[in-house]
Amino acid sequence: MISIIIPVLNEAGGIRDCLEHVRSLRGGKEIVVVDGGRSDGTADIVRRLVRTRSAKLKLIRSEPGRARQMNRGASDAKGDILLFLHADSRLPGNALSVVENACRTPDVVGGRFDLRLDAAGVRFRLTEKLINIRSRASRLATGDQCIFVKRKIFERMGGYAEIPLMEDVELCSRLRQMGRFVALAERATTSARRWEKNGFARTVLLMWSLRGLYALGAPPPTLARWYVHIR
């Protein structure tokens, strides 16, 4: 079974659609929603779905912080494979089967999907292509690429480092040292809302600057303060 762990913070507007999407995926699964917010009705929506849906779905409360929430969800999950999904991302319909197939290989420790942005235009297609090429070359991934990990490996690693930014890249860096981190050609679709809200060029510059500074050794708390200040 695959445990799909969804960290949420004030996602009342989209959590129902996200959960309906996950429930439609073919294959054995458990859905773990980890709510880190108190200011909207996300938890109430999920709680109602827990009562009315037959699929395995649970709600967990946590202190905010994406890494902290994902670790909290993993600690309650029952699956042999942990798949971490952002609330504004969508998996391909065959996601569970391709993840299971990938994880049957003994030296595979985890992996990620190729990325697609849900906006039209040549610049978005080019950005997707560059992100996927960079990810394959570096064997690193970001959370919107829907990272998955074998449970025993995740536990052996101690889970995500509870840092305020770059927790996904940091996890992948350690995964590369433990075995093969696979890049699936199937695409996960993620929202382009931050690109459209903050401006395409500005978002590209910010994301690549943060990645570059992190690679040069800038501490995640410093990058997080900068990110909040200028985004």
Side-chain angles (χ1 to χ4, degrees):
M1 185 174 67
I2 296 177
S3 293
I4 302 174
I5 299 168
I6 310 172
V8 295
L9 184 67
N10 300 333
E11 292 284 355
I15 188 60
R16 183 183 295 273
D17 286 344
C18 174
L19 293 178
E20 292 294 344
H21 158 72
V22 174
R23 287 183 63 251
S24 72
L25 297 173
R26 299 182 296 276
K29 58 187 174 290
E30 169 194 48
I31 308 166
V32 182
V33 179
V34 190
D35 181 40
R38 303 291 188 271
S39 60
D40 76 345
T42 303
D44 293 334
I45 294 170
V46 178
R47 200 174 288 113
R48 286 195 293 271
L49 292 174
V50 168
R51 290 196 298 265
T52 59
R53 296 295 190 265
S54 59
K56 293 183 178 179
L57 170 63
K58 65 172 69 173
L59 171 68
I60 301 171
R61 304 301 288 264
S62 166
E63 291 301 314
R66 182 168 279 165
R68 184 180 296 115
Q69 290 172 242
M70 291 189 290
N71 284 340
R72 178 74 179 85
S75 70
D76 267 46
K78 306 301 182 186
D80 302 311
I81 302 169
L82 308 175
L83 191 158
F84 299 94
L85 177 69
H86 290 184
D88 61 355
S89 294
R90 300 292 181 265
L91 291 158
N94 64 341
L96 302 186
S97 62
V98 296
V99 168
E100 288 174 357
N101 288 336
C103 289
R104 288 194 179 102
T105 304
D107 66 337
V108 168
V109 294
R112 67 21 159 216
F113 290 81
D114 268 355
L115 180 71
R116 180 184 182 279
L117 295 166
D118 68 347
V122 174
R123 59 184 182 176
F124 287 104
R125 303 291 79 78
L126 178 60
T127 299
E128 297 164 1
K129 188 176 183 65
L130 291 174
I131 289 173
N132 293 330
I133 290 173
R134 180 193 67 195
S135 179
R136 287 176 183 275
S138 65
R139 292 187 297 147
L140 298 173
T142 54
D144 49 15
Q145 290 174 277
C146 304
I147 295 169
F148 58 91
V149 188
K150 290 179 177 177
R151 180 190 185 87
K152 61 182 181 180
I153 299 295
F154 188 82
E155 292 176 345
R156 191 181 308 163
M157 296 171 61
Y160 280 93
E162 295 190 359
I163 53 180
L165 204 65
M166 298 294 171
E167 75 286 339
D168 40 17
V169 175
E170 194 278 340
L171 180 80
C172 294
S173 296
R174 286 185 287 138
L175 280 171
R176 293 184 310 181
Q177 300 171 16
M178 301 191 71
R180 190 150 64 93
F181 185 74
V182 296
L184 299 180
E186 288 80 5
R187 291 188 172 194
T189 302
T190 195
S191 171
R193 60 185 177 182
R194 62 181 171 181
W195 306 74
E196 296 169 331
K197 176 182 176 182
N198 299 323
F200 182 87
R202 187 174 183 226
T203 301
V204 170
L205 179 61
L206 174 60
M207 292 174 64
W208 287 74
S209 296
L210 290 171
R211 288 288 298 271
L213 289 169
Y214 179 73
L216 291 172
T222 299
L223 295 177
R225 289 194 295 270
W226 185 48
Y227 174 69
V228 170
H229 178 68
I230 69 173
R231 68 176 175 173

